[in-house]
Amino acid sequence: MPKLRSHWKKAVTVLLSVGIACSTASVAQAAVSMTYTPRSVGSIEGGYYHGSRNVQVTTSQISMYSVNMRSYCQAQQSGNSAYAFQDVSKGYTCSAYQRGTETAIGDHALFRVY
């Protein structure tokens, strides 16, 4: 009987230590990236990040916030040789805005949370 009790004691100790280790482990969040093309308007929600976008034929605008990950925003409109962008640390809001011509070739807004 004492031998059986010893095995149970070891099993309970192992299970408790595994349970404590699992409960204290942090859950890692994955990097996310999305691209939006013209005629895209609305909010962006993802649990640990949120923002908004408004991509039309002549304007691209996006903003993003994450409390615990870096955020990158980019806006591109036809007629411009370079895109507008901002890359910020966790806890800050990134935003990008650009106006362009009537053609929608290459127009987009994107965000990346990483």
Side-chain angles (χ1 to χ4, degrees), residues 25-80:
S26 65
V27 177
Q29 279 124 8
V32 177
S33 181
M34 291 290 293
T35 301
Y36 302 96
T37 55
R39 307 270 194 258
S40 176
V41 179
S43 62
I44 305 166
E45 299 292 334
Y48 55 94
Y49 61 88
H50 64 272
S52 63
R53 88 275 186 188
N54 184 356
V55 185
Q56 301 299 325
V57 175
T58 58
T59 59
S60 293
Q61 180 177 0
I62 191 163
S63 67
M64 180 60 54
Y65 172 81
S66 177
V67 70
N68 56 356
M69 296 183 81
R70 292 184 65 86
S71 299
Y72 173 82
C73 296
Q74 182 185 97
Q76 173 75 52
Q77 276 287 312
S78 55
N80 294 287

